[in-house]
Amino acid sequence: MTISRSICLGFLALITAGTLLLMLPFSHSDGHWGILSTALFTATSAVCVTGLSVVDVGQYYSGLGQFFIALMAQVGGLGYMTATTFLLLLLGRKFRLRDKLAMHQSLDTSGISGMQHLVKSIIGMTLMLEILGILLLLPVFEPDYGLGQGLWMATFHSINAFNNAGFGLLSNSFMDYATDPLLNVAITLMIILGGIGYQVLLELYLWGRDRVSQKPIRFTFSLHFKIVTSTTLFLLFLGTLSFFLTEFNNPATLGTLTVGEKLIAAWFQSVTTRTAGFNTVDLSQMTTTSLFLTIAFMFVGASPGSTGGGLKTTTLRVLVMCTRAVLQGKEEVLCYQRKIPMSLILKAIGGVMASLLTVIVATILMSLAAPTQEFLPVLFEVVSAFATVGLSIGITAQANLTTQLILVLVMYVGRVGVLMLMSALLGDPAPSTLHYPEEDLLVG
Amino acid sequence: MTISRSICLGFLALITAGTLLLMLPFSHSDGHWGILSTALFTATSAVCVTGLSVVDVGQYYSGLGQFFIALMAQVGGLGYMTATTFLLLLLGRKFRLRDKLAMHQSLDTSGISGMQHLVKSIIGMTLMLEILGILLLLPVFEPDYGLGQGLWMATFHSINAFNNAGFGLLSNSFMDYATDPLLNVAITLMIILGGIGYQVLLELYLWGRDRVSQKPIRFTFSLHFKIVTSTTLFLLFLGTLSFFLTEFNNPATLGTLTVGEKLIAAWFQSVTTRTAGFNTVDLSQMTTTSLFLTIAFMFVGASPGSTGGGLKTTTLRVLVMCTRAVLQGKEEVLCYQRKIPMSLILKAIGGVMASLLTVIVATILMSLAAPTQEFLPVLFEVVSAFATVGLSIGITAQANLTTQLILVLVMYVGRVGVLMLMSALLGDPAPSTLHYPEEDLLVG
Ligand SMILES: [K+]
Ligand SMILES: [K+]
């Protein structure tokens, strides 16, 4: 079985198991058996770390049900992070010598031991960061909910923030905490760390270790690190500025806040689009401009080898660099004085084309299944499901059975990736030995 | 001065001249001086062969004003077709021997005589096809308008159809002729021929000549020809099928027609999105699904070296072929057993990124300038202006001064091309002799 098939089937198996668990009576606060479509939707949303929900999770599910959801988000997020990191590192990727040495356990031995080491490293890092999140969130929830429930709230939301899962126990996400500095710091930190990818975290760790031990030769960051961090920072900054400006005077969102609070709320909104799914302002009250910006940011999404979804920051950057090369009249695509290989450029094209096609087809199906809905909310929900973001402006809550099933499919396709799903369906390609002559045509 | 600067400034000069002509009192049916913003909008729309209009052209402008508009569309369409064909053929494009022989006058002598020959050939072909259009349209309009006015109607609409300009003298475009077979044949034929590009028409002519003279060696079509014709036919078929199915039961559009008439109207709608701008059904009454489909088809647009706009069929096809290569695990992008060169792939990426950026930025500006408008109509109008389509569901007619100016800018940028405009602004790039090492990163 190919790796892509294993990943696609693995997620299907997790969703099936999760659906069964969420069907059970003791998963529900009212003790009844679950509704199949609801259980399927929630399980898919949890395993794919999307966070869209057709029910109020804090009310509808019992403590055990909530625990199952957090577990699914944890397994789904960790599994995806591990699988994609392993796959990306394994499949003929070259790293510079220093990186190879640093990661030789997980990279150069492609067998079981390499995988085991990588899994251990990812799990250890995840747990450490999630515990940090719990410690930061406990002082936020403890005063309002007491130690026991406060601890559960902190744990549930830390897991959901780091895994970019976006499930919340409060019916209005974090709108009551929109101006709480500690919650904003804790949640956005978890979201960013969870969405930036294992390799970046590892390099940060190695860099920090070298700094502490004052080694004479400083750790040099890889091209991947530079691209991910610079693109992520740029998008976060651009998002904060955009939401700050467009919602500045909107009384239903930022209008009534002080300038400092406006900045905090705009920052949270910018972070959550990189594909967390929590919100501190009422999304349905945002301006058309902000909703459209949110759609664009959600579509780009997080970084590869992370728990987040979307097109990925590196894909966007590669395409931007290609565009720059065209404008400069170059045939080499450069970034930080390194040449981007052809295979990556093709993969970036494949990623964006497959993603656009999925979003377009899903939007058409949704608009056929719910013809009375306006266009913007439908597109918003489709992109949110596709990029495993989980933000909603109402379509999911009003979804009928057909639109629920479409969203379930979009969440699944968005998670495993269109290209991975298609290569899983197609099987391993047979290498071709034929070569064809080059011929030009008119483009543009 | 670089070629791209000449083209950008040339269009600016045409628009300026057209604005002045449309300001004059005898251009208006009421004999008054024109309004600057209206004259600018109409002139830009005519020179850029868009066809969006803030006034009813048939009522607002005098016969002379209408003649100016047709002239601007003719000069704009011809100029664009000639300039882009010349540019694309000139800039280091390689063709197979047979093509070179066939076109050696216009291709291999890159000086004045080559340009003159190309211009003559394009003008001759345009005039011949437009006369064909007039002859086909005259029997449609003559019974309703008499010979004199009927001939003017046939001429105006033939010029506007071939140049994909989309201006009409009737206030509801061709809605009164939705089921007229001859009008549908004439207009869609003109639109397709005008939008398919000079090289395809030339190869069709050469192929036909060889067939007639029964030469032993048959003319073989270029890769460009195969890609343009197959992609165009596929998009036309897909569009017809989509509109037929989604509007089948809509009483305000196709619902009241017979099945045959439904097919004709769906076909017309499919053709007009490739970027003509006429319509035979009430666009504002179409379903959300159809409007979204129209936006997608408009964005792709026509073929290069033609009078049409948009991303271009070849660009889409190159990107689709790249995606197929990724799925097949290949690093060579093949199409009809020919390898697509790297420079074209980069150009396709640049084209799609620049186009998406323009549409996104323009949509954000429009939604800021008209915050009460719904999202879908705004996106529709922006894409229509960008791809020089000219279809409208009402925003242009309601436009205020700010949104009018945004649309003027979008029409201009959409016509000269984002990449051409940026390279005109940047100037010719200095060739770099530095080479950088290749480094991998994680994508997807
Ligand atoms: K999420
Ligand atoms: K047009």
Side-chain angles (χ1 to χ4, degrees):
Chain A
M1 188 147 63
T2 65
I3 296 178
S4 53
R5 270 190 200 167
S6 313
I7 293 175
C8 291
L9 291 177
F11 270 90
L12 274 188
L14 280 177
I15 291 169
T16 310
T19 306
L20 293 177
L21 286 175
L22 290 182
M23 284 294 286
L24 299 175
F26 38 79
S27 292
H28 298 86
S29 46
D30 65 2
H32 288 87
W33 286 88
I35 302 159
L36 183 60
S37 63
T38 306
L40 173 67
F41 196 98
T42 311
T44 308
S45 186
V47 170
C48 299
V49 297
T50 311
L52 286 174
S53 182
V54 289
V55 294
D56 186 334
V57 169
Q59 302 290 318
Y60 188 82
Y61 291 106
S62 65
L64 187 66
Q66 293 169 15
F67 171 77
F68 287 148
I69 290 172
L71 190 68
M72 280 186 261
Q74 182 74 281
V75 173
L78 262 176
Y80 184 75
M81 199 169 174
T82 313
T84 52
T85 304
F86 188 66
L87 198 65
L88 290 166
L89 296 181
L90 207 69
L91 290 181
R93 302 286 166 214
K94 292 155 269 170
F95 288 90
R96 281 166 310 129
L97 187 61
R98 180 63 207 270
D99 307 7
K100 280 210 182 176
L101 289 175
M103 295 186 280
H104 77 281
Q105 286 277 17
S106 54
L107 283 180
D108 291 338
T109 51
S110 57
I112 304 293
S113 78
M115 185 68 181
Q116 280 176 341
H117 187 271
L118 181 70
V119 171
K120 272 185 205 160
S121 166
I122 289 182
I123 291 181
M125 190 194 70
T126 300
L127 288 181
M128 262 175 45
L129 292 173
E130 284 177 357
I131 288 168
L132 172 67
I134 295 170
L135 294 177
L136 288 171
L137 285 172
L138 193 54
V140 177
F141 292 118
E142 196 267 339
D144 295 345
Y145 296 91
L147 188 61
Q149 180 65 6
L151 190 62
W152 174 232
M153 298 280 283
T155 309
F156 188 90
H157 289 117
S158 177
I159 290 174
N160 271 283
F162 183 80
N163 288 292
N164 276 252
F167 277 103
L169 295 179
L170 305 159
S171 54
N172 61 355
S173 194
F174 293 130
M175 280 169 63
D176 297 339
Y177 297 88
T179 57
D180 184 308
L182 191 54
L183 180 124
N184 275 279
V185 167
I187 295 288
T188 57
L189 183 69
M190 287 298 112
I191 293 171
I192 293 171
L193 292 178
I196 208 154
Y198 170 71
Q199 201 197 328
V200 169
L201 294 174
L202 180 69
E203 289 192 29
L204 266 180
Y205 166 75
L206 292 172
W207 174 81
R209 203 184 55 183
D210 282 13
R211 294 275 294 200
V212 168
S213 65
Q214 296 188 323
K215 282 199 182 170
I217 304 161
R218 268 182 40 203
F219 179 81
T220 49
F221 292 111
S222 67
L223 176 63
H224 179 79
F225 180 93
K226 288 177 196 163
I227 286 186
V228 167
T229 49
S230 60
T231 311
T232 301
L233 286 175
F234 175 76
L235 289 173
L236 289 175
F237 170 78
L238 185 68
T240 307
L241 186 70
S242 306
F243 294 123
F244 181 76
L245 292 177
T246 48
E247 295 298 318
F248 195 91
N249 284 320
N250 184 347
T253 57
L254 308 188
T256 57
L257 306 176
T258 67
V259 173
E261 290 172 343
K262 281 185 217 282
L263 267 177
I264 293 177
W267 159 255
F268 191 96
Q269 179 64 19
S270 177
V271 172
T272 196
T273 60
R274 336 304 317 290
T275 65
F278 293 120
N279 55 290
T280 59
V281 298
D282 188 348
L283 296 175
S284 62
Q285 298 295 315
M286 288 208 305
T287 60
T288 305
T289 315
S290 288
L291 291 175
F292 182 53
L293 280 166
T294 304
I295 291 173
F297 283 116
M298 291 196 299
F299 186 74
V300 173
S303 300
S306 79
T307 60
L311 181 66
K312 303 287 156 40
T313 52
T314 45
T315 309
L316 176 70
R317 186 64 172 270
V318 166
L319 295 173
V320 168
M321 288 297 138
C322 290
T323 309
R324 199 186 64 168
V326 173
L327 284 174
Q328 294 177 333
K330 288 178 184 156
E331 299 213 356
E332 275 191 346
V333 181
L334 301 176
C335 196
Y336 295 109
Q337 306 192 326
R338 290 285 180 281
K339 192 180 152 189
I340 310 275
M342 178 70 177
S343 58
L344 277 189
I345 294 172
L346 288 182
K347 209 177 160 205
I349 297 175
V352 77
M353 292 295 285
S355 302
L356 284 174
L357 186 68
T358 311
V359 167
I360 289 171
V361 170
T363 305
I364 289 171
L365 292 178
M366 287 284 286
S367 72
L368 286 173
T372 56
Q373 290 286 3
E374 268 184 47
F375 177 71
L376 184 66
V378 170
L379 181 67
F380 189 98
E381 221 82 358
V382 166
V383 173
S384 177
F386 173 77
T388 72
V389 182
L391 295 176
S392 172
I393 46 175
I395 299 287
T396 301
Q398 307 161 20
N400 57 40
L401 194 60
T402 315
T403 49
Q404 277 188 29
L405 287 177
I406 296 171
L407 287 175
V408 163
L409 274 176
V410 174
M411 289 193 283
Y412 177 72
V413 173
R415 174 78 310 191
V416 298
V418 198
L419 291 178
M420 201 186 285
L421 187 65
M422 285 176 86
S423 79
L425 293 173
L426 293 170
D428 269 345
S432 163
T433 49
L434 277 173
H435 283 281
Y436 297 100
E438 206 167 278
E439 186 178 340
D440 230 308
L441 74 155
L442 317 182
V443 166
Chain B
M1 186 146 66
T2 64
I3 297 178
S4 53
R5 269 188 201 169
S6 313
I7 292 175
C8 291
L9 291 177
F11 271 91
L12 274 187
L14 280 178
I15 291 169
T16 310
T19 307
L20 294 177
L21 286 176
L22 290 182
M23 284 295 286
L24 300 175
F26 38 77
S27 292
H28 298 85
S29 48
D30 64 1
H32 287 87
W33 285 88
I35 303 158
L36 183 61
S37 62
T38 305
L40 174 67
F41 195 98
T42 311
T44 309
S45 186
V47 170
C48 299
V49 296
T50 311
L52 286 174
S53 181
V54 289
V55 294
D56 185 335
V57 170
Q59 302 290 318
Y60 188 82
Y61 292 106
S62 64
L64 187 67
Q66 294 168 16
F67 171 76
F68 286 150
I69 291 172
L71 189 69
M72 280 186 261
Q74 182 74 282
V75 174
L78 262 177
Y80 185 74
M81 200 170 175
T82 313
T84 52
T85 304
F86 188 66
L87 199 65
L88 290 165
L89 296 182
L90 207 70
L91 291 180
R93 301 288 165 212
K94 292 154 270 168
F95 288 89
R96 282 166 310 129
L97 187 61
R98 182 63 208 270
D99 306 9
K100 280 209 180 174
L101 289 176
M103 295 186 281
H104 76 278
Q105 285 277 16
S106 54
L107 284 179
D108 291 340
T109 51
S110 57
I112 303 292
S113 77
M115 185 67 181
Q116 278 175 342
H117 186 270
L118 182 72
V119 170
K120 273 184 205 161
S121 166
I122 289 182
I123 291 181
M125 191 194 69
T126 299
L127 289 181
M128 261 174 47
L129 292 173
E130 285 177 356
I131 289 169
L132 172 67
I134 295 170
L135 294 177
L136 288 171
L137 285 172
L138 193 55
V140 177
F141 293 117
E142 195 267 341
D144 296 347
Y145 297 91
L147 187 63
Q149 179 67 7
L151 190 64
W152 174 233
M153 298 280 283
T155 309
F156 188 89
H157 290 117
S158 178
I159 291 174
N160 271 283
F162 183 79
N163 287 292
N164 276 253
F167 279 103
L169 295 179
L170 305 160
S171 54
N172 62 355
S173 194
F174 292 131
M175 281 169 63
D176 297 339
Y177 296 88
T179 57
D180 184 310
L182 191 54
L183 180 125
N184 276 278
V185 167
I187 295 288
T188 57
L189 183 70
M190 286 298 111
I191 293 172
I192 293 171
L193 292 178
I196 210 154
Y198 170 71
Q199 202 196 328
V200 170
L201 293 175
L202 181 70
E203 289 192 30
L204 265 181
Y205 166 74
L206 293 172
W207 174 81
R209 204 184 54 181
D210 283 13
R211 294 275 293 198
V212 168
S213 64
Q214 297 190 320
K215 281 199 183 172
I217 303 159
R218 270 181 40 204
F219 179 80
T220 50
F221 292 112
S222 68
L223 176 63
H224 179 78
F225 181 93
K226 289 176 194 162
I227 286 187
V228 167
T229 48
S230 60
T231 311
T232 301
L233 286 175
F234 175 77
L235 289 172
L236 288 176
F237 171 77
L238 186 68
T240 307
L241 187 70
S242 307
F243 294 123
F244 181 75
L245 292 177
T246 47
E247 296 297 319
F248 195 91
N249 284 321
N250 184 346
T253 57
L254 308 188
T256 57
L257 305 176
T258 67
V259 173
E261 290 171 343
K262 282 185 217 283
L263 268 176
I264 293 177
W267 160 256
F268 192 96
Q269 179 64 21
S270 177
V271 171
T272 197
T273 60
R274 343 301 318 291
T275 64
F278 293 120
N279 55 290
T280 60
V281 298
D282 187 349
L283 296 174
S284 63
Q285 297 295 315
M286 288 209 304
T287 60
T288 304
T289 314
S290 288
L291 291 174
F292 182 53
L293 280 166
T294 303
I295 290 173
F297 283 115
M298 291 196 299
F299 186 73
V300 174
S303 300
S306 79
T307 60
L311 181 66
K312 303 286 154 44
T313 52
T314 46
T315 309
L316 176 69
R317 186 63 172 271
V318 166
L319 295 172
V320 167
M321 288 296 138
C322 291
T323 309
R324 200 185 65 168
V326 173
L327 284 173
Q328 293 177 334
K330 288 178 183 156
E331 299 212 356
E332 275 190 345
V333 181
L334 301 175
C335 195
Y336 294 109
Q337 307 191 327
R338 290 285 180 282
K339 192 179 152 189
I340 310 274
M342 178 70 176
S343 58
L344 276 190
I345 295 171
L346 289 181
K347 209 178 160 204
I349 297 175
V352 77
M353 291 296 285
S355 302
L356 284 174
L357 186 68
T358 311
V359 167
I360 289 170
V361 170
T363 306
I364 289 171
L365 292 178
M366 287 284 286
S367 72
L368 286 173
T372 55
Q373 290 286 3
E374 268 185 47
F375 177 71
L376 184 66
V378 169
L379 181 67
F380 189 98
E381 220 82 358
V382 166
V383 173
S384 178
F386 173 76
T388 72
V389 183
L391 294 176
S392 172
I393 47 176
I395 300 288
T396 300
Q398 305 161 23
N400 57 42
L401 194 60
T402 316
T403 49
Q404 276 189 30
L405 287 176
I406 296 171
L407 287 175
V408 163
L409 274 176
V410 174
M411 288 192 282
Y412 177 72
V413 173
R415 173 77 310 192
V416 297
V418 198
L419 291 178
M420 201 186 285
L421 188 64
M422 287 175 86
S423 79
L425 293 173
L426 293 171
D428 268 346
S432 163
T433 49
L434 276 173
H435 283 280
Y436 296 101
E438 206 168 279
E439 186 177 341
D440 230 309
L441 73 155
L442 316 182
V443 167

